[in-house]
Amino acid sequence: MSTYASTKKITTHILQEMKDSKEKISMLTAYDFSFAKIIDAAGIDIILVGDSASNVMAGHETTLPITLDQMIYHATSVVRAVDRAMIVVDLPFGSYQGNSKEALNSAIRIMKESGAHAIKMEGGIEIKESIERILSAGIPVMGHLGLTPQSIYKFGTYTVRATEDKEAKQLLEDAKLLEELGCFSIILEKIPADLAKKVAQTVKIPVIGIGAGQHVDGQVLVMHDLLGITQEFEPRFLRRYLDLYNDVKGAVEHYVKDVKSRDFPNEEEQY
Ligand code: KIV
């Protein structure tokens, strides 16, 4: 089904080839060794060590609290597990918005200390200088436009972005700028499908969507959402492939029952 199934390492060049040959790109988040190993073995093209770790791993309400050190910890665990997928790591809130020198230092720390292959940053024109500086150090950058969760307190809600002309126009301009600067790919989060289609047709680099419809070059989801580990989160764009919350809960309930009833361990399960 994929021309690239036997490709040993996914690189920015392979991703560009995928877009050019109209093969859709698959991307999923991971934050730890064990899940990253499974996801890589399943043939995912890109693993994102997302700052959504702040939500699904640490239990924070937003992505803002996670630190650069914590992102590096997650990224390092993922890198140890992965053979084929390209690994992209989010620059966390506060590690790149201050100035471009700080942004470069943060990106260098991620690349040097974790061994990941690229970084992702939220924003357009407002972070132009930081993107330029990071790219000039030879670090591949993935952009992120639309609903950018690090700006949640500016937006006020997690609803669909760029439904109005002014914001849609700015988003398209930002996408063109990211391409011009040299970003290898752009994530579009929670924007109208028609706008996402226009962006994907306008820029030559791969555009990957989450809640951005089917006319982009690839799709990304948060692993915990896809596996049904998170329960309370029910956006329209999410397709759940498992009900892992209930499966795990059921298994643990069964174990508790077996321990309490002295069924576990039995004769064969002891020395
Ligand atoms: O942090 C994350 O998981 C993300 C995806 C939602 C794209 O940025």
Side-chain angles (χ1 to χ4, degrees):
M1 218 169 83
S2 166
T3 317
Y4 298 91
S6 60
T7 300
K8 289 212 158 50
K9 285 261 176 229
I10 300 296
T11 62
T12 56
H13 300 282
I14 298 282
L15 296 172
Q16 187 62 55
E17 271 183 33
M18 286 182 176
K19 169 155 183 157
D20 297 342
S21 63
K22 299 197 169 17
E23 170 157 340
K24 297 281 187 185
I25 297 165
S26 61
M27 177 169 174
L28 200 57
T29 65
Y31 319 95
D32 71 290
F33 176 86
S34 302
F35 270 113
K37 204 162 185 59
I38 300 171
I39 289 170
D40 188 48
I44 206 82
D45 297 315
I46 308 176
I47 291 182
L48 171 65
V49 183
D51 58 359
S52 49
S54 179
N55 310 112
V56 297
M57 299 300 287
H60 293 295
E61 235 175 76
T62 73
T63 58
L64 276 66
I66 200 160
T67 65
L68 186 59
D69 283 337
Q70 288 164 343
M71 289 303 298
I72 291 170
Y73 167 78
H74 287 296
T76 307
S77 309
V78 168
V79 167
R80 276 188 217 114
V82 170
D83 289 325
R84 176 181 175 274
M86 174 162 188
I87 302 168
V88 180
V89 182
D90 263 329
L91 278 190
F93 177 70
S95 72
Y96 63 101
Q97 291 93 345
N99 61 60
S100 61
K101 185 162 182 275
E102 189 187 1
L104 176 61
N105 286 340
S106 303
I108 287 177
R109 277 202 62 202
I110 287 183
M111 301 297 285
K112 224 184 193 12
E113 294 176 38
S114 78
H117 311 130
I119 56 103
K120 175 163 85 62
M121 300 163 77
E122 297 184 5
I125 182 83
E126 68 279 14
I127 55 163
K128 178 173 178 276
E129 248 182 67
S130 296
I131 295 175
E132 277 174 331
R133 202 151 175 181
I134 293 171
L135 284 167
S136 71
I139 299 171
V141 176
M142 175 180 266
H144 184 156
L145 301 171
L147 177 65
T148 45
Q150 291 178 12
S151 305
I152 189 58
Y153 290 117
K154 181 176 86 180
F155 297 145
T157 79
Y158 285 98
T159 50
V160 184
R161 301 304 313 171
T163 51
E164 306 289 332
D165 278 357
K166 189 169 170 231
E167 194 178 332
K169 204 162 158 255
Q170 183 60 53
L171 188 144
L172 186 58
E173 287 310 310
D174 279 338
K176 287 194 239 173
L177 174 72
L178 293 180
E179 174 175 48
E180 219 176 278
L181 293 176
C183 291
F184 72 94
S185 173
I186 301 171
I187 297 270
L188 294 179
E189 180 164 354
K190 225 171 173 188
I191 64 166
D194 282 347
L195 175 61
K197 181 179 180 183
K198 193 166 174 187
V199 174
Q201 286 174 346
T202 303
V203 300
K204 293 194 170 55
I205 55 175
V207 173
I208 298 172
I210 172 163
Q214 58 181 256
H215 301 292
V216 286
D217 308 307
Q219 299 293 329
V220 56
L221 284 175
V222 168
M223 179 191 65
H224 288 59
D225 298 335
L226 171 141
L227 296 179
I229 298 172
T230 49
Q231 285 239 300
E232 58 296 331
F233 184 59
E234 285 292 347
R236 188 207 293 209
F237 68 76
L238 175 59
R239 185 179 295 180
R240 292 197 195 279
Y241 288 80
L242 280 180
D243 182 14
L244 213 51
Y245 178 93
N246 283 311
D247 289 349
V248 172
K249 184 164 171 273
V252 175
E253 282 168 354
H254 198 159
Y255 167 71
V256 170
K257 187 171 140 281
D258 286 354
V259 171
K260 299 282 181 192
S261 68
R262 296 176 168 71
D263 180 78
F264 176 80
N266 62 24
E267 293 283 324
E268 278 102 60
E269 290 163 331
Q270 65 189 16
Y271 299 100

